[in-house]
Amino acid sequence: MQTAWFSKPVVVSVGVTGSTRNLSNTQQAIELLTTHWRDTGSVKHQSALRACRRATSGDVSPDVAREAFVEAAREAHILVE
């Protein structure tokens, strides 16, 4: 597995205090999706997790995974736009 880098970081608000994190690659996104996600199991969450894992295997481009992650973060109301 390789780290697939996004063309542009994704900024999300995490934790009780709402601190922001800049996610630059699929490994960071997978970590957030698997350990600190509010709505695990939603269709967009599962799609983002699958896309990020596929990007680390080289099956899809990092920006396909980024877009799926952005949609999941928007759905979870953690995307900072």
XYZ file of all heavy atoms in Angstrom:
620
model
N 0.844 -1.189 0.000
C 0.000 0.000 0.000
C 0.880 1.240 0.000
O 1.897 1.298 0.665
C -0.906 -0.009 1.222
C -2.002 -1.051 1.131
S -3.044 -1.247 2.575
C -3.821 0.311 2.736
N 0.445 2.206 -0.734
C 1.195 3.452 -0.853
C 0.352 4.614 -0.335
O -0.866 4.540 -0.303
C 1.570 3.700 -2.308
C 0.346 3.887 -3.198
C 0.694 3.982 -4.670
O 1.766 3.620 -5.075
N -0.233 4.474 -5.458
N 1.031 5.660 0.061
C 0.316 6.866 0.453
C -0.037 7.618 -0.822
O 0.838 7.951 -1.610
C 1.184 7.752 1.371
O 1.501 6.996 2.535
C 0.454 9.012 1.756
N -1.306 7.855 -1.028
C -1.775 8.586 -2.200
C -2.065 10.026 -1.760
O -2.910 10.252 -0.895
C -3.020 7.922 -2.773
N -1.360 10.970 -2.337
C -1.452 12.377 -1.942
C -2.540 13.104 -2.719
O -2.640 12.963 -3.939
C -0.106 13.069 -2.159
C 0.928 12.507 -1.235
C 1.754 11.452 -1.476
C 1.214 12.943 0.089
N 2.535 11.204 -0.375
C 2.228 12.105 0.595
C 0.715 13.960 0.902
C 2.759 12.258 1.880
C 1.249 14.114 2.177
C 2.246 13.274 2.648
N -3.345 13.887 -2.016
C -4.374 14.707 -2.641
C -3.720 15.900 -3.332
O -2.684 16.394 -2.887
C -5.364 15.231 -1.601
C -6.136 14.177 -0.857
C -6.534 14.396 0.451
C -6.481 12.974 -1.456
C -7.261 13.442 1.150
C -7.208 12.012 -0.772
C -7.592 12.252 0.537
N -4.339 16.402 -4.390
C -3.813 17.580 -5.079
C -3.995 18.837 -4.224
O -3.261 19.808 -4.384
C -4.507 17.770 -6.426
O -5.894 17.980 -6.241
N -4.965 18.796 -3.315
C -5.240 19.926 -2.423
C -5.730 19.342 -1.100
O -6.573 18.446 -1.098
C -6.318 20.812 -3.057
C -6.725 21.994 -2.240
C -7.808 22.785 -2.975
C -8.352 23.881 -2.065
N -9.504 24.557 -2.665
N -5.224 19.817 0.038
C -5.671 19.285 1.332
C -7.167 19.509 1.555
O -7.763 20.430 1.009
C -4.867 20.086 2.360
C -3.702 20.622 1.617
C -4.178 20.831 0.199
N -7.744 18.642 2.360
C -9.137 18.759 2.770
C -9.131 19.200 4.230
O -8.498 18.561 5.070
C -9.884 17.419 2.634
C -11.328 17.569 3.093
C -9.814 16.903 1.206
N -9.821 20.289 4.534
C -9.860 20.813 5.897
C -11.150 20.351 6.559
O -12.240 20.561 6.022
C -9.771 22.356 5.913
C -9.740 22.877 7.341
C -8.548 22.831 5.137
N -10.992 19.699 7.716
C -12.148 19.205 8.458
C -12.072 19.671 9.902
O -10.997 19.972 10.419
C -12.250 17.662 8.409
C -12.547 17.174 7.006
C -11.000 17.008 8.956
N -13.221 19.723 10.535
C -13.336 20.089 11.942
C -13.560 18.802 12.728
O -14.493 18.052 12.448
C -14.520 21.038 12.121
O -14.736 21.315 13.473
N -12.704 18.545 13.719
C -12.786 17.281 14.458
C -12.786 17.509 15.965
O -12.371 18.551 16.453
C -11.612 16.343 14.095
C -11.687 15.907 12.652
C -10.285 16.988 14.380
N -13.261 16.507 16.659
C -13.235 16.536 18.110
C -14.317 17.401 18.715
O -15.056 18.098 18.026
N -14.394 17.338 20.023
C -15.391 18.093 20.768
C -15.174 19.589 20.616
O -16.123 20.364 20.513
C -15.350 17.689 22.263
C -16.340 18.498 23.071
C -15.627 16.213 22.415
N -13.921 20.007 20.554
C -13.614 21.437 20.462
C -13.715 21.973 19.042
O -13.668 23.176 18.834
C -12.203 21.725 20.993
O -11.258 20.996 20.203
C -12.074 21.341 22.456
N -13.815 21.066 18.065
C -13.927 21.512 16.677
C -12.630 22.012 16.090
O -12.627 22.844 15.187
N -11.505 21.484 16.581
C -10.231 21.901 16.009
C -10.148 21.423 14.560
O -10.757 20.424 14.181
C -9.067 21.341 16.825
O -9.106 19.932 16.848
N -9.416 22.158 13.747
C -9.340 21.820 12.329
C -8.101 20.980 12.051
O -7.070 21.110 12.704
C -9.317 23.073 11.440
O -8.206 23.883 11.801
C -10.608 23.847 11.563
N -8.255 20.111 11.051
C -7.147 19.293 10.556
C -7.096 19.423 9.048
O -8.133 19.466 8.385
C -7.353 17.823 10.909
C -7.062 17.507 12.346
C -7.190 16.033 12.663
N -6.309 15.195 11.868
C -6.371 13.867 11.850
N -7.273 13.238 12.569
N -5.550 13.164 11.103
N -5.896 19.494 8.520
C -5.667 19.510 7.083
C -5.236 18.104 6.678
O -4.152 17.665 7.062
C -4.574 20.509 6.709
C -4.990 21.923 6.963
O -6.044 22.350 6.509
N -4.191 22.664 7.697
N -6.077 17.426 5.915
C -5.752 16.085 5.474
C -5.177 16.162 4.064
O -5.823 16.675 3.155
C -6.995 15.204 5.493
C -7.705 15.122 6.846
C -8.938 14.239 6.755
C -6.776 14.605 7.922
N -3.979 15.625 3.899
C -3.262 15.743 2.632
C -3.179 14.452 1.837
O -2.737 14.468 0.696
C -1.831 16.234 2.888
O -1.851 17.481 3.530
N -3.571 13.334 2.467
C -3.427 12.061 1.767
C -4.459 11.039 2.231
O -5.188 11.269 3.195
C -2.003 11.518 1.916
C -1.636 11.242 3.358
O -2.291 10.445 4.030
N -0.588 11.890 3.855
N -4.483 9.926 1.531
C -5.485 8.898 1.814
C -5.253 8.218 3.152
O -6.223 7.819 3.795
C -5.513 7.849 0.696
O -4.197 7.321 0.505
C -6.026 8.434 -0.598
N -4.026 8.083 3.592
C -3.764 7.452 4.885
C -4.395 8.263 6.010
O -4.992 7.704 6.926
C -2.265 7.277 5.127
C -1.609 6.307 4.162
C -2.091 4.883 4.330
O -3.228 4.556 3.980
N -1.253 4.036 4.865
N -4.254 9.575 5.951
C -4.860 10.441 6.965
C -6.381 10.346 6.905
O -7.052 10.315 7.942
C -4.415 11.888 6.753
C -2.946 12.112 7.003
C -2.479 13.482 6.548
O -3.078 14.116 5.681
N -1.377 13.943 7.134
N -6.927 10.290 5.703
C -8.378 10.190 5.541
C -8.892 8.856 6.075
O -9.908 8.817 6.782
C -8.756 10.356 4.067
N -8.194 7.769 5.781
C -8.596 6.451 6.272
C -8.580 6.428 7.796
O -9.499 5.897 8.426
C -7.695 5.343 5.687
C -7.976 5.166 4.193
C -7.881 4.025 6.443
C -6.967 4.305 3.465
N -7.556 7.005 8.388
C -7.458 7.038 9.850
C -8.657 7.760 10.450
O -9.268 7.292 11.405
C -6.139 7.712 10.264
C -5.831 7.629 11.743
C -6.366 8.813 12.531
O -6.425 9.925 11.983
O -6.734 8.617 13.701
N -9.019 8.891 9.870
C -10.172 9.642 10.371
C -11.478 8.872 10.133
O -12.324 8.786 11.025
C -10.239 11.020 9.711
C -11.322 11.954 10.239
C -11.055 12.319 11.694
C -11.400 13.209 9.402
N -11.617 8.299 8.963
C -12.831 7.552 8.625
C -13.039 6.321 9.517
O -14.169 5.936 9.794
C -12.791 7.106 7.162
C -13.016 8.192 6.121
C -12.521 7.736 4.758
C -14.476 8.596 6.061
N -11.957 5.719 9.964
C -12.083 4.484 10.739
C -12.068 4.697 12.249
O -12.549 3.831 12.983
C -10.966 3.480 10.378
O -9.699 4.080 10.583
C -11.108 3.006 8.945
N -11.568 5.820 12.726
C -11.448 5.980 14.180
C -12.228 7.147 14.769
O -12.571 7.099 15.945
C -9.972 6.126 14.605
O -9.417 7.282 13.982
C -9.164 4.896 14.239
N -12.492 8.178 14.002
C -13.105 9.382 14.571
C -14.286 9.893 13.753
O -14.471 11.100 13.637
C -12.069 10.516 14.682
C -10.884 10.153 15.499
N -10.940 9.923 16.851
C -9.585 9.968 15.154
C -9.743 9.623 17.300
N -8.901 9.632 16.285
N -15.073 9.007 13.186
C -16.153 9.437 12.302
C -17.494 9.373 13.015
O -17.796 8.405 13.696
C -16.185 8.562 11.051
C -16.823 9.265 9.892
C -18.082 9.078 9.434
C -16.240 10.247 9.065
N -18.322 9.900 8.357
C -17.189 10.630 8.110
C -14.988 10.864 9.024
C -16.940 11.583 7.129
C -14.737 11.796 8.059
C -15.705 12.156 7.125
N -18.311 10.392 12.841
C -19.628 10.459 13.500
C -20.631 9.481 12.913
O -21.357 8.812 13.629
C -20.210 11.872 13.381
C -19.409 12.923 14.079
C -20.051 14.276 13.865
N -19.140 15.339 14.274
C -19.326 16.605 14.000
N -20.379 16.981 13.313
N -18.465 17.494 14.405
N -20.728 9.445 11.596
C -21.769 8.670 10.917
C -21.192 7.453 10.200
O -21.350 7.311 8.996
C -22.504 9.551 9.902
C -23.208 10.720 10.548
O -23.718 10.542 11.672
O -23.262 11.798 9.934
N -20.508 6.589 10.941
C -19.958 5.403 10.281
C -21.098 4.553 9.748
O -22.150 4.451 10.354
C -19.101 4.567 11.243
O -19.906 4.167 12.342
C -17.896 5.320 11.726
N -20.875 4.007 8.600
C -21.884 3.139 8.008
C -22.771 3.808 6.983
O -23.507 3.129 6.277
N -22.733 5.132 6.872
C -23.539 5.781 5.845
C -22.970 5.413 4.472
O -21.818 4.999 4.347
C -23.554 7.299 6.024
O -22.322 7.865 5.605
N -23.765 5.577 3.458
C -23.330 5.238 2.099
C -22.108 6.073 1.701
O -21.140 5.543 1.148
C -24.490 5.434 1.090
C -24.009 5.275 -0.338
C -25.608 4.449 1.394
N -22.130 7.361 1.993
C -21.002 8.224 1.607
C -19.756 7.902 2.421
O -18.638 7.953 1.911
C -21.388 9.690 1.734
C -22.362 10.103 0.646
C -22.675 11.561 0.666
C -23.643 11.889 -0.458
N -23.958 13.289 -0.544
N -19.919 7.558 3.691
C -18.782 7.152 4.519
C -18.138 5.898 3.937
O -16.918 5.834 3.759
C -19.237 6.905 5.961
C -18.178 6.267 6.806
N -18.109 4.911 7.002
C -17.143 6.816 7.497
C -17.071 4.641 7.767
N -16.478 5.775 8.088
N -18.945 4.898 3.639
C -18.426 3.648 3.090
C -17.781 3.859 1.720
O -16.746 3.271 1.417
C -19.546 2.600 2.998
C -20.056 2.141 4.347
C -18.963 1.500 5.191
O -18.222 0.655 4.711
N -18.867 1.916 6.436
N -18.382 4.722 0.917
C -17.830 5.025 -0.402
C -16.467 5.702 -0.279
O -15.530 5.374 -1.009
C -18.803 5.915 -1.177
O -18.270 6.268 -2.417
N -16.348 6.645 0.654
C -15.080 7.344 0.868
C -14.008 6.390 1.365
O -12.863 6.417 0.900
C -15.268 8.492 1.853
N -14.361 5.533 2.295
C -13.399 4.572 2.828
C -12.917 3.623 1.730
O -11.720 3.380 1.583
C -14.041 3.796 3.982
C -13.134 2.890 4.792
C -11.933 3.648 5.346
C -13.920 2.255 5.923
N -13.841 3.142 0.938
C -13.491 2.245 -0.169
C -12.597 2.962 -1.188
O -11.590 2.417 -1.636
C -14.768 1.724 -0.828
C -14.577 0.690 -1.884
C -15.889 0.026 -2.358
N -17.036 0.925 -2.477
C -18.037 1.002 -1.584
N -18.043 0.252 -0.508
N -19.039 1.832 -1.774
N -12.949 4.200 -1.545
C -12.164 4.954 -2.528
C -10.760 5.247 -2.010
O -9.787 5.137 -2.758
C -12.878 6.254 -2.879
N -10.651 5.597 -0.738
C -9.322 5.871 -0.170
C -8.459 4.615 -0.150
O -7.273 4.659 -0.466
C -9.454 6.454 1.236
S -10.023 8.163 1.258
N -9.060 3.507 0.200
C -8.311 2.243 0.198
C -7.899 1.851 -1.214
O -6.784 1.363 -1.433
C -9.140 1.147 0.850
C -9.217 1.320 2.362
C -10.011 0.220 3.022
N -9.923 0.344 4.469
C -10.851 -0.077 5.307
N -11.960 -0.646 4.843
N -10.687 0.056 6.607
N -8.779 2.070 -2.181
C -8.443 1.761 -3.574
C -7.333 2.675 -4.085
O -6.482 2.245 -4.870
C -9.679 1.865 -4.462
C -10.668 0.718 -4.199
C -11.828 0.726 -5.149
N -11.331 0.378 -6.487
C -11.932 0.739 -7.608
N -13.041 1.457 -7.577
N -11.424 0.395 -8.765
N -7.323 3.929 -3.637
C -6.265 4.858 -4.055
C -4.919 4.429 -3.483
O -3.889 4.561 -4.150
C -6.603 6.280 -3.627
N -4.908 3.893 -2.270
C -3.637 3.433 -1.699
C -3.110 2.204 -2.426
O -1.917 1.927 -2.389
C -3.753 3.117 -0.189
O -4.678 2.065 0.008
C -4.143 4.338 0.606
N -3.998 1.481 -3.093
C -3.588 0.323 -3.893
C -3.273 0.705 -5.329
O -2.854 -0.145 -6.115
C -4.697 -0.730 -3.891
O -4.964 -1.160 -2.590
N -3.540 1.949 -5.695
C -3.273 2.407 -7.051
C -4.398 2.121 -8.032
O -4.227 2.309 -9.234
N -5.555 1.672 -7.522
C -6.679 1.342 -8.405
C -7.440 2.564 -8.901
O -8.070 2.513 -9.949
C -7.658 0.403 -7.698
C -7.047 -0.966 -7.420
O -6.120 -1.365 -8.148
O -7.505 -1.619 -6.477
N -7.448 3.637 -8.118
C -8.080 4.890 -8.527
C -7.134 6.037 -8.196
O -6.218 5.879 -7.391
C -9.462 5.129 -7.836
C -10.447 4.041 -8.177
C -9.306 5.278 -6.350
N -7.357 7.178 -8.800
C -6.487 8.320 -8.544
C -6.771 8.894 -7.147
O -7.891 8.776 -6.635
C -6.682 9.407 -9.599
O -7.864 10.130 -9.332
N -5.780 9.519 -6.542
C -5.988 10.135 -5.233
C -7.112 11.168 -5.239
O -7.810 11.333 -4.238
C -4.642 10.787 -4.927
C -3.657 10.018 -5.725
C -4.389 9.605 -6.971
N -7.315 11.848 -6.349
C -8.346 12.880 -6.381
C -9.757 12.305 -6.486
O -10.717 12.955 -6.089
C -8.062 13.906 -7.469
C -6.938 14.840 -7.043
O -6.812 15.109 -5.822
O -6.176 15.290 -7.905
N -9.902 11.084 -6.980
C -11.196 10.400 -6.916
C -11.508 10.116 -5.445
O -12.626 10.343 -4.970
C -11.179 9.099 -7.754
C -12.393 8.234 -7.451
C -11.107 9.427 -9.234
N -10.510 9.640 -4.726
C -10.672 9.380 -3.294
C -10.933 10.675 -2.533
O -11.780 10.717 -1.632
C -9.435 8.690 -2.744
N -10.238 11.727 -2.913
C -10.431 13.026 -2.253
C -11.870 13.493 -2.403
O -12.492 13.944 -1.449
C -9.472 14.075 -2.835
C -9.609 15.434 -2.183
C -8.766 16.501 -2.913
N -8.847 17.770 -2.217
C -9.865 18.624 -2.309
N -10.908 18.348 -3.085
N -9.852 19.762 -1.638
N -12.404 13.389 -3.609
C -13.775 13.838 -3.854
C -14.775 13.019 -3.038
O -15.723 13.566 -2.475
C -14.111 13.769 -5.344
C -15.450 14.374 -5.691
C -15.620 15.825 -5.265
O -14.654 16.600 -5.324
O -16.746 16.187 -4.845
N -14.564 11.712 -2.959
C -15.448 10.863 -2.150
C -15.344 11.242 -0.679
O -16.356 11.295 0.039
C -15.095 9.392 -2.350
N -14.123 11.549 -0.223
C -13.936 11.952 1.169
C -14.613 13.297 1.444
O -15.252 13.475 2.476
C -12.439 12.029 1.514
C -12.201 12.431 2.930
C -12.366 11.525 3.964
C -11.827 13.732 3.238
C -12.177 11.908 5.286
C -11.634 14.121 4.542
C -11.807 13.211 5.577
N -14.492 14.234 0.522
C -15.136 15.541 0.673
C -16.650 15.371 0.807
O -17.283 15.999 1.667
C -14.782 16.477 -0.515
C -15.710 17.679 -0.577
C -13.331 16.929 -0.405
N -17.240 14.527 -0.021
C -18.688 14.292 0.050
C -19.087 13.688 1.401
O -20.101 14.070 1.981
C -19.140 13.400 -1.098
C -19.105 14.085 -2.440
C -19.965 15.349 -2.478
O -21.109 15.313 -2.001
O -19.477 16.376 -2.976
N -18.300 12.752 1.892
C -18.596 12.149 3.189
C -18.436 13.164 4.318
O -19.248 13.219 5.251
C -17.691 10.952 3.427
N -17.399 13.989 4.234
C -17.185 15.022 5.262
C -18.296 16.065 5.231
O -18.734 16.528 6.292
C -15.823 15.687 5.045
N -18.763 16.395 4.056
C -19.880 17.341 3.928
C -21.137 16.734 4.576
O -21.840 17.399 5.334
C -20.117 17.662 2.467
C -21.159 18.744 2.241
C -21.237 19.167 0.787
N -20.081 19.985 0.438
C -19.275 19.774 -0.614
N -19.489 18.770 -1.428
N -18.250 20.572 -0.846
N -21.397 15.478 4.292
C -22.558 14.796 4.865
C -22.477 14.743 6.402
O -23.484 14.904 7.082
C -22.647 13.356 4.334
C -23.779 12.553 4.942
C -23.754 11.114 4.494
O -22.775 10.391 4.801
O -24.728 10.722 3.830
N -21.275 14.557 6.930
C -21.079 14.473 8.379
C -20.976 15.850 9.044
O -20.776 15.940 10.247
C -19.824 13.648 8.686
N -21.065 16.896 8.243
C -20.991 18.278 8.725
C -19.673 18.600 9.410
O -19.636 19.330 10.413
C -22.164 18.596 9.676
C -23.503 18.332 9.071
N -24.036 19.096 8.070
C -24.389 17.333 9.312
C -25.205 18.599 7.722
N -25.452 17.531 8.460
N -18.574 18.047 8.845
C -17.251 18.371 9.397
C -16.354 19.057 8.386
O -15.242 19.457 8.711
C -16.547 17.127 9.979
C -16.246 16.095 8.890
C -17.351 16.522 11.126
C -15.295 15.003 9.330
N -16.822 19.183 7.151
C -16.032 19.825 6.104
C -15.976 21.321 6.361
O -16.991 21.965 6.597
C -16.625 19.562 4.728
C -15.853 20.119 3.532
C -14.500 19.435 3.396
C -16.668 19.960 2.264
N -14.763 21.885 6.337
C -14.591 23.320 6.469
C -14.457 23.869 5.055
O -13.507 23.573 4.352
C -13.341 23.671 7.316
C -13.126 25.177 7.365
C -13.467 23.087 8.712
N -15.464 24.673 4.635
C -15.462 25.208 3.263
C -15.201 26.691 3.267
O -15.437 27.379 4.202
C -16.796 24.916 2.593
C -17.032 23.427 2.459
C -18.240 23.078 1.608
O -18.087 23.104 0.379
O -19.299 22.806 2.171
